[in-house]
């Protein structure tokens, strides 16, 4: 099986805020959604963009929200950080998706509605509007010698960064790999 680099999301800067480091990655059961959690308590959900005439798929930002805030446990005199430790998609029982996110103390359940069928807000469990620290910006991978403005060449990527987390697509040969604040997608040529 032959693999190729298909997409990267994130910044290529060396100066990364601690809160922007990805702490977990998880595909939904059907693979159409991918959720990442970071050390700042933020969840970013990506939705698959199916391209009509090819097997190649790309993901774009679907929604971003603040899941956990830092808190203090007065009984144990302990600070609880907002870092997302784990994300888990629940099996779908209706048109909405349900997502669990957890830090060291709290498990939260999020309902994520389909934008096409609903006219109100996407996330119903949020108590307040929070601004994301920094959105992961999509970049296409340059496959020719001529690089366009928002494309990136695989030769310019820094693969010395520590791989923190990875997730395998549930039904296709597609891997999402998180390295610091970058999300790399690799796809099999046979998909």
């Amino acid at each position: 099986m032959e693999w190729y680099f298909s997409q990267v999301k994130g910044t290529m800067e060396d100066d990364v805020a601690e809160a922007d480091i990805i702490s977990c990655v998880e595909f939904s059961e059907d693979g159409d959604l991918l959720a990442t959690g970071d050390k700042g308590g933020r969840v970013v959900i990506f939705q698959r963009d199916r391209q009509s005439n090819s097997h190649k798929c790309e993901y774009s930002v679907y929604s971003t929200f603040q899941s956990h805030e830092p808190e203090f446990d007065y009984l144990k005199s302990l600070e609880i950080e907002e870092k997302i430790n784990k994300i888990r998609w629940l099996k779908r029982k209706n048109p909405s998706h349900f997502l669990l996110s957890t830090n060291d103390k709290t498990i939260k359940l999020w309902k994520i509605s389909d934008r096409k069928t609903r006219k109100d807000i996407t996330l119903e469990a949020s108590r307040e509007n929070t601004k994301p620290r920094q959105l992961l910006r999509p970049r296409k991978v340059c496959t020719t010698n001529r690089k366009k403005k928002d494309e990136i060449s695989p030769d310019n990527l820094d693969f010395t960064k520590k791989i923190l987390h990875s997730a395998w697509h549930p039904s296709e040969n597609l891997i999402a790999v998180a390295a610091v604040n970058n999300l790399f997608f690799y796809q099999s040529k046979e998909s």
Side-chain angles (χ1 to χ4, degrees):
M1 186 178 306
E2 214 174 311
W3 293 85
Y4 69 94
F5 180 78
S6 65
Q7 190 179 13
V8 64
K9 295 192 175 291
T11 61
M12 302 312 290
E13 300 160 6
D14 289 332
D15 188 24
V16 177
E18 181 78 14
D20 292 333
I21 295 175
I22 297 171
S23 58
C24 56
V25 180
E26 182 80 21
F27 277 104
S28 63
E29 186 179 13
D30 61 3
D32 283 341
L33 296 174
L34 173 73
T36 64
D38 65 22
K39 288 188 173 185
R42 183 178 56 165
V43 173
V44 180
I45 299 172
F46 298 92
Q47 184 175 35
R48 186 175 186 165
D49 297 328
R50 294 200 184 264
Q51 297 177 352
S52 58
N53 57 358
S54 73
H55 293 289
K56 185 177 178 183
C57 68
E58 291 187 356
Y59 284 80
S60 58
V61 175
Y62 178 76
S63 186
T64 303
F65 60 94
Q66 189 71 31
S67 176
H68 288 77
E69 297 282 347
E71 51 186 297
F72 189 79
D73 187 340
Y74 291 99
L75 293 174
K76 296 180 180 177
S77 296
L78 184 69
E79 280 189 47
I80 311 293
E81 63 181 355
E82 64 269 31
K83 174 188 165 195
I84 306 289
N85 293 328
K86 186 73 177 164
I87 290 177
R88 182 62 47 116
W89 292 96
L90 301 179
K91 285 190 181 258
R92 250 178 130 170
K93 303 289 183 186
N94 61 38
S96 296
H97 291 273
F98 290 91
L99 175 78
L100 291 171
S101 63
T102 182
N103 66 357
D104 288 337
K105 181 181 178 188
T106 309
I107 299 171
K108 293 189 177 183
L109 173 66
W110 300 93
K111 180 179 180 181
I112 301 159
S113 303
D114 188 3
R115 290 182 177 170
K116 296 173 188 163
T117 59
R118 296 183 57 101
K119 293 184 181 175
D120 55 351
I121 60 171
T122 303
L123 301 169
E124 298 175 354
S126 180
R127 288 181 280 174
E128 59 187 61
N129 289 334
T130 56
K131 293 182 180 177
R133 288 180 184 82
Q134 179 179 0
L135 287 177
L136 293 176
R137 201 176 65 197
R139 295 182 180 208
K140 293 191 179 202
V141 178
C142 176
T143 55
T144 63
N145 291 340
R146 293 184 181 162
K147 190 171 89 167
K148 295 179 184 170
K149 181 183 175 190
D150 207 23
E151 288 186 336
I152 191 164
S153 169
D155 299 332
N156 296 341
L157 294 174
D158 181 9
F159 289 103
T160 61
K161 291 182 179 176
K162 182 179 177 184
I163 293 176
L164 301 173
H165 307 281
S166 63
W168 194 286
H169 191 282
S171 61
E172 296 180 27
N173 290 328
L174 177 69
I175 301 171
V177 177
V180 187
N181 71 330
N182 289 304
L183 189 60
F184 299 97
F185 291 90
Y186 293 92
Q187 189 171 3
S188 163
K189 290 190 177 185
E190 299 167 4
S191 284

